[in-house]
Amino acid sequence: MTIPAQFDAKTIENKWYDYWMKNNYFHSEPDHRTPYTIVIPPPNVTGVLHMGHMLNNTIQDVLIRRARLKGFNACWVPGTDHASIATEAKVVAKLKAEGINKNDLTREEFLAHAWEWTDKYGGVILDQLKKLGASCDWERTKFTMDPDMSASVIRSFVDLYNKGLIYRGYRMVNWDPEAKTTLSDEEVIYEEQQGKLFFLNYKIEGTEEFLTIATTRPETIFGDTAICINPNDERFAHLKGKKAIVPISGRIIPIIEDEYVDVEFGTGCLKVTPAHDMNDKTLGEKHNLEIVDIFNEDATLNSFGLHYQGKDRFVVRTEIAKELEEIGALAKTEIHLNKVGTSERTKAVIEPRLSDQWFLKMEDLVKPAIKSVLVDGDIKLHPKRFENTYAHWLNNIRDWNISRQLWWGQQIPAYYYGDGKEDFVVAENIEDALVLAKARTNNQELTTNNLKQDVDALDTWFSSWLWPMSVFGGIMDPESEDFKYYYPTNDLVTGPDILFFWVARMIIAGYEYAGEKPFTNVYLTGLVRDKQRRKMSKSLGNSPDPLDLIDTFGADGVRVGLLLSASAGNDIMFDEELCNQGKAFSNKIWNALKLIKGWEVSETIPQPESSKVAIEWFEAKFQHALVDIEDNFEKYRISDSLMAIYKLVWDDFCSLFLEMIKPAYQQPIDKKTFDKAIEILENNLKLLHPFMPFLTEEIWHILAERTPEEALIISTWPELKPFDAKLITDFENSVEVISGIRTIRKEKNIAMKDSIELKAINSEKFSTYFDSVIIKLGNIAAFEYVSDKVDGALSFRVKSNEYFIPITGGNIDVEAEITKLNAELVYTQGFLKSVQSKLANEKFVAGAPEKVLANEKQKEADALAKIATIEQSLAGLK
């Protein structure tokens, strides 16, 4: 067949992905083989591919394709996450643009819009992953809101509630006023922001005295229910038992005492707002203070805010400062750096808020997850340093707020049969709930119409923490064939940013429901940054469209470019030049194919000695590299594995081996060498396939006509075999000899087509096994070992061996060469003199660091060796 001059990535990518899909290579069913399982970290259902996804999924595909080649029953389960907050926000925005307010809709009407949105935009990212070459088992694609997945979540809630681990509590929570829902502590990002410290005057009741209090939030004075002083602070001892008047509102509040107050901060006393600060709430409970909630759910002020009712908290902050100043209640303001909690999803500033929420007790649940990672090592984090982060989070874990004030998600399966806070039952469905409610109330007249389900939805993470089990039906049917075969999974590839959100919680759930770990290894990728080390973002305009990159450099080029710089846990400084390097690698391999397939093959000519030893050397080199490749895979150093393959293919195969076996111009190659070259190329393709699936499958089928059962994707990974390491070291010496010959040819303008003689003094007792290769690659007419220096010859050294190229047939201008060598000798002697004068300086030698001194001594040794070589060359020319 005619091989195209250029590698056409676009055509080949579509061709082979369709072929793989048609032949169902990605699909897995339980069988006699050992399973190798990965579950994809489910991206947001309405998300689109970004560079982080590209890196993460390329690594997963490398692992799954290698496992397939190694004979495992490889199963990579894809899917998407319903992403409650993000998706609901998009649907609300869409409805708003259409003039529809969410609050005017019933839950069912809103969910119809949400499903319509999800059906329209959902799953786009999975189709994009196919462009990357992801070999997921698409028949197993899951969505966290699929009926069976939701059923698993509901069953988990009911089970944990019945075990006494889920409870309903009135707590201070993190409130996202944009999404209008609570967030767990882990979903709050604290950012240092520059704000103001406002010093407010509170008048002491019945006196003309004022008490000055510093606050960053003057708008919350409407929720003040006390002022607190430290009982040990003599400055305020006279205020004990008195009352103060809140500015603007005129409300009278008590002055209380508590050692919690830091006498060094601000003015040494504080205002207590129990509804809007966690610490103030604790003080309020301790001192039995009134709780006044001044905010609506969108963080506008309610009726307690008086004439500021309906205005946003930040607008009020500015306006109230002016009013306080006008009435003399604002003493001063200062610039103040403050850590402000923001929503991970919406970026809104979080508002502490008291609310009835559902919580999961974590104290006992977390213990097996701590033990498995930090004590027993059953689960390994790569890199290991993330164990410290993991330990910090799990050793300081708090109860998990699992309820969200959203409609998109699994609705909490609590059913109220009365008006009291405790008048509820928990069940998987309303029919079961009715049975429980009748038993609880002893009222057999109750019907499902008397039951009202809790309006809140469960935290998205409460569904995805079951992911490795629920995708195989392990929650609903722990005895299912799939679950028993595929669980626990093998490797998880994800980002360190969700080490607690998702990874730790999956481990907790795995031990709670299956009694064992959900996976063995966790590979934590770094962030993809630009070459200025900035995080990639749309706002900075520094995040390239992955599909555009694939279009420009080919999927294989992008995969290689990303992975060459992606060591576990370390951020990637992404540069498109990396993808260009990947594309260049593709072209190098393609050109090697064209070279081999372009040779005429003869079945009659014998195999040259140079080809025989070249094959022996490369097979040893291949096995040596395979040891490193396997070791790096075992240690999850994926980029190091790729680099070892890259060097093996580019340097050893393309640049050396093919040169060593290449027939002379317009001459045929012997069949024995040709067949071995094809075999070696095929083994290289097997190593490359997990990283470059499209190119390798194309070349595999060009090399021979293959049936679907013989496709590269389901071929066999090369086996480790014993090899002669001495062949590798011996050849390295020969390569230096060839390099020395080529240097002289270049410097003296001796064309490669002109054969030369070579004589050598073999002081080092180098092996002569590769002399035939030296003769071929150096175009040596005669190669002889001698005991004495050769006159009238150019020379060079390899270690202590000396090599001589006699000057014959007017190859060079002797007089010009002598002039050139004399000039080089004078320069080198001058350089040596300057180095030796340094080393003769006692002060320099006494004060110089050991490394600097060693460097100078090496310079002296190199200069002496060079002078000796030049003098030998001059002697040979005279």
Side-chain angles (χ1 to χ4, degrees):
M1 64 177 292
T2 303
I3 301 172
Q6 301 294 325
F7 172 58
D8 181 2
K10 286 182 196 174
T11 305
I12 285 169
E13 285 163 10
N14 291 330
K15 167 185 167 184
W16 290 113
Y17 205 88
D18 289 346
Y19 180 84
W20 294 328
M21 290 288 284
K22 177 185 172 186
N23 287 287
N24 217 20
Y25 295 126
F26 304 161
H27 183 56
S28 171
E29 289 290 344
D31 62 22
H32 64 281
R33 292 174 294 168
T34 303
Y36 174 85
T37 316
I38 295 179
V39 291
I40 200 172
N44 288 1
V45 66
T46 57
V48 292
L49 200 64
H50 59 60
M51 295 304 293
H53 293 133
M54 291 276 281
L55 172 63
N56 184 290
N57 287 284
T58 296
I59 292 168
Q60 290 177 79
D61 197 43
V62 167
L63 293 174
I64 210 79
R65 285 180 181 273
R66 175 172 173 266
R68 205 177 277 125
L69 287 169
K70 287 178 83 74
F72 292 98
N73 188 351
C75 180
W76 181 15
V77 180
T80 50
D81 187 272
H82 64 276
S84 293
I85 296 174
T87 304
E88 184 150 326
K90 287 180 180 179
V91 176
V92 168
K94 170 187 172 287
L95 292 172
K96 188 176 180 181
E98 296 171 358
I100 302 171
N101 189 320
K102 175 192 170 185
N103 296 326
D104 295 334
L105 300 175
T106 65
R107 187 188 198 105
E108 290 67 29
E109 288 170 339
F110 176 80
L111 289 177
H113 285 286
W115 277 110
E116 181 186 350
W117 172 273
T118 301
D119 292 340
K120 183 175 181 181
Y121 298 103
V124 168
I125 192 167
L126 298 184
D127 287 333
Q128 292 176 324
L129 286 178
K130 293 174 183 177
K131 296 288 185 187
L132 183 65
S135 57
C136 301
D137 187 345
W138 300 110
E139 292 179 38
R140 291 185 176 274
T141 302
K142 287 291 184 182
F143 174 43
T144 51
M145 287 279 281
D146 284 343
D148 60 324
M149 301 292 281
S150 287
S152 297
V153 175
I154 299 304
R155 178 162 294 182
S156 169
F157 183 98
V158 174
D159 173 68
L160 293 167
Y161 177 80
N162 290 336
K163 289 174 179 173
L165 295 173
I166 287 178
Y167 64 93
R168 188 159 172 77
Y170 188 62
R171 301 281 188 277
M172 180 72 73
V173 295
N174 305 301
W175 183 261
D176 181 337
E178 188 170 318
K180 299 184 180 63
T181 184
T182 59
L183 300 177
S184 65
D185 293 336
E186 295 75 32
E187 291 169 297
V188 179
I189 308 298
Y190 286 91
E191 299 171 348
E192 201 165 67
Q193 295 183 2
Q194 185 171 288
K196 291 181 178 179
L197 200 56
F198 299 83
F199 291 79
L200 310 183
N201 292 327
Y202 288 69
K203 191 174 182 181
I204 307 302
E205 185 186 31
T207 73
E208 292 303 312
E209 188 181 353
F210 288 91
L211 192 59
T212 303
I213 296 173
T215 179
T216 58
R217 306 186 65 198
E219 69 277 10
T220 62
I221 61 172
F222 298 114
D224 290 352
T225 56
I227 285 175
C228 191
I229 59 175
N230 191 307
N232 304 313
D233 194 338
E234 294 179 2
R235 293 174 297 172
F236 306 118
H238 65 290
L239 297 178
K240 293 178 181 180
K242 294 192 176 183
K243 295 185 177 181
I245 302 169
V246 179
I248 300 177
S249 72
R251 196 151 40 82
I252 297 171
I253 57 175
I255 297 174
I256 62 172
E257 301 171 69
D258 199 290
E259 290 186 350
Y260 166 76
V261 178
D262 182 356
V263 296
E264 301 295 328
F265 179 76
T267 61
C269 50
L270 57 84
K271 65 191 211 59
V272 185
T273 318
H276 300 295
D277 182 272
M278 182 66 76
N279 295 318
D280 288 10
K281 175 180 176 288
T282 304
L283 274 174
E285 289 173 346
K286 184 176 178 181
H287 296 275
N288 199 28
L289 298 177
E290 182 187 1
I291 294 172
V292 179
D293 186 348
I294 67 167
F295 289 121
N296 296 313
E297 63 175 13
D298 61 354
T300 57
L301 272 69
N302 59 25
S303 60
F304 285 110
L306 304 178
H307 47 287
Y308 292 106
Q309 182 176 359
K311 290 187 176 181
D312 181 78
R313 55 189 165 159
F314 297 120
V315 172
V316 174
R317 185 174 299 177
T318 302
E319 293 183 358
I320 203 170
K322 290 179 182 176
E323 183 176 355
L324 289 166
E325 188 173 19
E326 288 168 1
I327 64 174
L330 179 62
K332 63 175 179 175
T333 60
E334 292 179 355
I335 298 299
H336 179 67
L337 274 178
N338 195 24
K339 277 200 171 180
V340 178
T342 59
S343 167
E344 184 199 33
R345 290 291 182 194
T346 66
K347 312 305 177 191
V349 173
I350 294 303
E351 194 62 55
R353 192 182 194 202
L354 283 167
S355 175
D356 281 311
Q357 301 292 334
W358 293 89
F359 294 87
L360 175 60
K361 295 178 184 177
M362 300 301 291
E363 185 180 356
D364 292 328
L365 280 176
V366 77
K367 289 175 183 175
I370 292 173
K371 187 171 182 285
S372 66
V373 175
L374 304 174
V375 180
D376 298 339
D378 289 339
I379 298 174
K380 294 177 174 59
L381 306 185
H382 304 274
K384 188 177 173 63
R385 69 173 187 270
F386 282 106
E387 286 182 6
N388 294 330
T389 308
Y390 183 88
H392 174 75
W393 276 332
L394 269 63
N395 288 326
N396 294 281
I397 201 165
R398 295 165 66 181
D399 287 356
W400 178 8
N401 171 10
I402 57 174
S403 49
R404 297 290 179 269
Q405 287 60 58
L406 300 165
W407 284 347
W408 179 243
Q410 286 88 13
Q411 191 173 354
I412 289 174
Y415 297 85
Y416 293 85
Y417 52 80
D419 297 328
K421 283 188 176 182
E422 301 302 318
D423 293 346
F424 67 84
V425 292
V426 170
E428 291 186 34
N429 53 62
I430 198 166
E431 290 77 19
D432 289 350
L434 181 61
V435 174
L436 292 172
K438 284 180 177 180
R440 178 80 59 85
T441 61
N442 201 24
N443 178 2
Q444 298 305 310
E445 301 303 315
L446 283 178
T447 68
T448 53
N449 292 330
N450 301 123
L451 301 182
K452 182 182 176 185
Q453 189 172 354
D454 194 301
V455 295
D456 289 350
L458 285 159
D459 180 9
T460 301
W461 297 109
F462 192 80
S463 63
S464 55
W465 80 321
L466 303 174
W467 185 252
M469 294 179 285
S470 57
V471 296
F472 297 116
I475 300 297
M476 301 306 290
D477 183 9
E479 295 303 311
S480 72
E481 184 185 15
D482 274 7
F483 184 61
K484 291 176 79 172
Y485 180 76
Y486 292 112
Y487 188 91
T489 67
N490 296 75
D491 297 327
L492 178 75
V493 182
T494 189
D497 53 326
I498 54 174
L499 181 56
F500 178 78
F501 283 135
W502 191 46
V503 179
R505 286 170 174 163
M506 282 190 290
I507 295 171
I508 292 167
Y511 282 105
E512 175 64 17
Y513 285 106
E516 59 182 322
K517 60 188 178 184
F519 30 71
T520 300
N521 294 286
V522 180
Y523 180 105
L524 296 158
T525 66
L527 285 173
V528 183
R529 298 181 180 275
D530 67 13
K531 52 189 175 183
Q532 297 175 46
R533 302 192 69 85
R534 299 177 302 175
K535 187 175 179 180
M536 287 190 167
S537 69
K538 288 180 182 177
S539 58
L540 286 174
N542 64 345
S543 183
D545 183 333
L547 297 183
D548 287 346
L549 291 176
I550 289 173
D551 195 51
T552 305
F553 302 105
D556 291 329
V558 175
R559 288 165 67 115
V560 168
L562 271 171
L563 289 181
L564 279 176
S565 57
S567 54
N570 294 323
D571 289 353
I572 294 174
M573 304 305 118
F574 180 76
D575 185 347
E576 286 193 15
E577 184 53 37
L578 292 168
C579 297
N580 202 30
Q581 185 179 349
K583 183 179 181 179
F585 189 37
S586 297
N587 290 334
K588 183 78 172 178
I589 299 163
W590 189 253
N591 288 335
L593 166 72
K594 289 196 300 175
L595 176 68
I596 295 170
K597 294 294 280 184
W599 290 334
E600 181 188 342
V601 182
S602 169
E603 298 199 16
T604 57
I605 62 173
Q607 183 182 53
E609 178 66 18
S610 57
S611 295
K612 173 182 169 290
V613 299
I615 291 164
E616 290 176 8
W617 163 75
F618 188 85
E619 288 182 332
K621 189 73 177 178
F622 182 92
Q623 286 297 324
H624 181 266
L626 188 56
V627 170
D628 284 343
I629 292 161
E630 295 284 44
D631 181 58
N632 285 322
F633 266 115
E634 288 300 313
K635 294 171 180 172
Y636 290 82
R637 296 202 294 244
I638 312 298
S639 63
D640 291 344
S641 286
L642 174 58
M643 182 53 77
I645 298 168
Y646 183 95
K647 288 178 178 177
L648 176 73
V649 173
W650 189 298
D651 298 340
D652 299 322
F653 180 73
C654 296
S655 300
L656 283 171
F657 177 73
L658 292 183
E659 283 295 309
M660 290 156 73
I661 66 166
K662 185 170 68 175
Y665 181 63
Q666 291 189 339
Q667 296 299 308
I669 187 171
D670 67 282
K671 190 172 189 308
K672 189 174 182 181
T673 300
F674 180 81
D675 289 346
K676 203 67 181 174
I678 296 294
E679 180 189 320
I680 286 171
L681 176 55
E682 287 179 340
N683 281 328
N684 287 341
L685 294 177
K686 290 174 182 180
L687 294 182
L688 282 165
H689 179 76
F691 299 95
M692 308 176 79
F694 296 109
L695 170 76
T696 53
E697 192 73 76
E698 173 72 5
I699 294 176
W700 182 259
H701 289 265
I702 288 173
L703 292 176
E705 193 173 318
R706 320 265 186 178
T707 66
E709 292 73 32
E710 297 169 323
L712 177 57
I713 189 174
I714 53 167
S715 183
T716 53
W717 185 258
E719 287 183 24
L720 284 169
K721 297 175 183 176
F723 64 93
D724 185 354
K726 190 172 183 297
L727 279 173
I728 298 170
T729 53
D730 287 349
F731 183 69
E732 286 169 1
N733 295 329
S734 299
V735 168
E736 286 193 56
V737 175
I738 294 162
S739 177
I741 295 167
R742 288 179 171 178
T743 298
I744 284 182
R745 279 186 176 277
K746 185 179 178 183
E747 289 178 352
K748 313 312 177 196
N749 293 317
I750 304 171
M752 268 306 295
K753 65 181 178 63
D754 296 330
S755 62
I756 55 176
E757 291 182 20
L758 181 67
K759 300 178 187 294
I761 299 174
N762 194 5
S763 309
E764 291 277 350
K765 305 298 181 192
F766 283 173
S767 167
T768 60
Y769 194 67
F770 292 101
D771 285 0
S772 60
V773 174
I774 294 172
I775 290 167
K776 178 174 182 177
L777 296 188
N779 193 10
I780 306 299
F783 186 4
E784 180 187 358
Y785 287 95
V786 296
S787 54
D788 296 316
K789 290 180 172 53
V790 178
D791 293 333
L794 301 168
S795 64
F796 64 91
R797 285 175 177 264
V798 175
K799 296 180 182 173
S800 62
N801 272 16
E802 294 179 74
Y803 294 86
F804 305 92
I805 299 174
I807 298 167
T808 57
N811 274 337
I812 64 167
D813 183 335
V814 174
E815 291 303 319
E817 185 63 23
I818 289 172
T819 302
K820 180 182 170 186
L821 287 171
N822 276 324
E824 195 174 347
L825 179 63
V826 170
Y827 172 81
T828 309
Q829 287 171 333
F831 176 76
L832 175 65
K833 188 176 179 182
S834 70
V835 172
Q836 288 178 331
S837 66
K838 259 189 190 180
L839 292 171
N841 185 330
E842 292 180 5
K843 191 174 180 182
F844 170 78
V845 172
E850 189 177 330
K851 192 174 180 181
V852 172
L853 203 57
N855 191 38
E856 291 301 318
K857 288 179 178 177
Q858 185 60 49
K859 286 180 185 177
E860 180 186 35
D862 291 344
L864 286 167
K866 189 170 183 181
I867 287 168
T869 301
I870 294 170
E871 287 175 340
Q872 284 175 18
S873 294
L874 283 168
L877 291 171
K878 290 174 182 176

